[in-house]
Amino acid sequence: MDKVREPARKLAGLVPYDPKYLPARAMMSANENPKDVDEDLRRQVESAVRRVPLNRYPDPLANELRDLIACANGLDREQVLVGNGGDELLFNTALAWGGPGRTFLNLPPTFSVYEANARLTNTDVLNIPRLREQDFAIDEAAVLDAVSGPDSQVDFTIIATPNNPTGLRARTEFLGELLASTDALVVADEAYFEFSRQTMRPYLDANKNLVILRTFSKAFSLAGVRVGYILGHPDVIRQYMKVRQPYSVDAVSQAIGRVIFQNRAAFEPGIEAIIEERERILKELSAMPGVHPYPSDANWVLFEVPEAEQVWQRLFDAGVLVRDFSTAAGLEGTLRVSVGTKEQDDLFLDELKKARGIS
Ligand code: PMP
């Protein structure tokens, strides 16, 4: 046959996720850790991987890793689920709490995968935009209004804290109030919480409707391996278990994840350095005429710059890859730079100055 039927109608308006990843000297577009796992840890990773039986299926629930994560968070195994990156667990959220006739509350601009997952699962999306004039703070009153009351249609919401790509974390007190005013599932996406040093963990015991999502991809330098996890009530975790792919976290990733998690203290100095560099970048960008950085609690800085698209190209031509959000809805005129090593940050700042005609 030289033709094929139309796919599901819901795909019509969707475009495949494209991180716009291009090879560059300074990769500063994907909010990864600029430092790879060091040699000593790599040796431990290698010997752990060598012991993995490749002919056997992995433990479907990654129980050894699950126990390590549970113990570190003062929880039981039943309150933890490991996924193929946070991305899988975000999709599972839409599978388990979304669907036809159900509503997802989204706070754009935010991680675009949330809304894509809702569309893929035929979930209705209620958007409450963030307030750009207040550094993209959440419109807290509007959110509380939308979820409370007997008429609320909202079944679940995902709130990135800090929020990608804008930068600020949500106020903990606001999230607490939100959890108390609705029985909708509230996912606090803490993919970057190591850089804000704020977590909703203290709210977990009293709120069955809270799920905390985290990842090994950022602070733990493991974006290439694909390990993420959620913390939640055992009943909620059980619902997630119904929709997940049985062997989504392969045995090699589980082995690497265990070594990295057991050695997570080794990443602390790197996290500190990223936080310091973030503050330096913020300060330097604030001092550049015409450039407006937004405050950040994460490992990147979003900034407005005139002729952002051309500036992106100038930076790229000079070997610096940043993320172009200049034509994205609600983010017009902005670029996002992930914090790099000191050398990469210097290169970025120098090249941006040149692009702006500042010497
Ligand atoms: N949440 C947010 C806000 C993110 O930015 C990302 C990564 N881009 C993820 C979750 C998922 O990360 P991963 O799948 O690498 O764990």
Side-chain angles (χ1 to χ4, degrees):
M1 192 61 56
D2 67 349
K3 60 176 187 176
V4 63
R5 301 184 170 205
E6 289 296 314
R9 213 173 313 146
K10 63 192 168 193
L11 299 193
L14 290 179
V15 283
Y17 183 75
D18 175 11
K20 305 197 169 59
Y21 219 43
L22 299 163
R25 190 146 55 106
M27 304 289 286
M28 306 175 82
S29 74
N31 300 339
E32 298 140 325
N33 194 319
K35 295 240 167 79
D36 201 345
V37 172
D38 72 25
E39 270 311 308
D40 177 43
L41 255 182
R42 223 168 225 280
R43 269 191 292 275
Q44 291 188 52
V45 162
E46 279 162 16
S47 77
V49 168
R50 219 172 298 129
R51 290 194 299 273
V52 172
L54 298 179
N55 62 325
R56 302 290 176 200
Y57 282 105
D59 172 354
L61 291 172
N63 278 320
E64 277 185 58
L65 180 54
R66 216 178 165 201
D67 285 344
L68 292 173
I69 294 167
C71 180
N73 286 281
L75 300 169
D76 298 327
R77 171 191 286 191
E78 290 70 29
Q79 293 168 283
V80 178
L81 190 65
V82 182
N84 186 276
D87 282 343
E88 184 203 3
L89 297 160
L90 289 171
F91 189 54
N92 290 347
T93 304
L95 285 175
W97 260 265
R102 304 196 40 111
T103 301
F104 164 58
L105 172 62
N106 192 36
L107 310 182
T110 189
F111 191 32
S112 61
V113 166
Y114 304 160
E115 185 164 352
N117 287 341
R119 302 223 173 274
L120 280 175
T121 52
N122 288 314
T123 308
D124 291 334
V125 179
L126 172 63
N127 277 316
I128 299 186
R130 288 165 181 269
L131 306 167
R132 185 164 185 166
E133 63 286 4
Q134 291 175 34
D135 298 325
F136 294 102
I138 294 169
D139 188 343
E140 297 179 356
V143 170
L144 290 172
D145 202 42
V147 299
S148 43
D151 298 336
S152 173
Q153 299 293 311
V154 175
D155 294 295
F156 71 106
T157 184
I158 306 174
I159 301 182
T161 176
N163 183 53
N164 180 16
T166 57
L168 284 185
R169 67 179 176 84
R171 286 192 319 117
T172 313
E173 302 73 21
F174 159 70
L175 292 177
E177 206 179 326
L178 177 65
L179 286 162
S181 49
T182 178
D183 63 356
L185 186 78
V186 176
V187 179
D189 182 344
E190 295 188 351
Y192 303 95
F193 92 107
E194 289 91 348
F195 307 107
S196 69
R197 308 237 184 254
Q198 283 286 337
T199 172
M200 288 302 285
R201 168 66 188 90
Y203 289 78
L204 207 52
D205 303 337
N207 293 284
K208 190 171 179 177
N209 56 339
L210 171 63
V211 163
I212 295 173
L213 181 134
R214 297 196 184 140
T215 180
F216 284 34
S217 298
K218 314 296 177 181
F220 298 161
S221 299
L222 228 53
V225 175
R226 315 306 301 131
V227 181
Y229 64 94
I230 50 171
L231 311 176
H233 190 280
D235 293 348
V236 172
I237 297 291
R238 265 187 59 72
Q239 304 306 321
Y240 273 84
M241 282 162 64
K242 294 179 188 174
V243 299
R244 67 187 293 276
Q245 298 289 310
Y247 300 111
S248 61
V249 189
D250 65 81
V252 171
S253 298
Q254 291 187 29
I256 298 173
R258 289 197 298 271
V259 171
I260 296 297
F261 197 76
Q262 281 169 314
N263 288 280
R264 61 193 180 284
F267 292 86
E268 267 306 312
I271 294 169
E272 269 306 313
I274 287 170
I275 294 171
E276 275 173 34
E277 281 292 284
R278 174 186 77 204
E279 296 308 311
R280 180 170 78 97
I281 292 173
L282 272 168
K283 208 165 132 213
E284 295 244 359
L285 291 183
S286 306
M288 287 186 205
V291 178
H292 171 68
Y294 286 92
S296 173
D297 295 312
N299 63 337
W300 69 79
V301 176
L302 183 80
F303 61 98
E304 270 168 30
V305 59
E307 297 171 337
E309 257 173 294
Q310 288 91 313
V311 171
W312 181 91
Q313 190 65 51
R314 290 278 300 264
L315 289 171
F316 183 68
D317 293 343
V320 181
L321 180 69
V322 300
R323 185 72 189 260
D324 182 4
F325 283 107
S326 61
T327 56
L331 294 164
E332 293 79 3
T334 64
L335 303 178
R336 186 193 66 193
V337 61
S338 306
V339 177
T341 59
K342 187 172 181 322
E343 295 69 33
Q344 290 171 332
D345 299 339
D346 283 342
L347 180 66
F348 158 72
L349 290 165
D350 285 350
E351 293 301 332
L352 180 61
K353 278 185 199 151
K354 282 189 209 157
R356 296 283 304 139
I358 307 165
S359 50

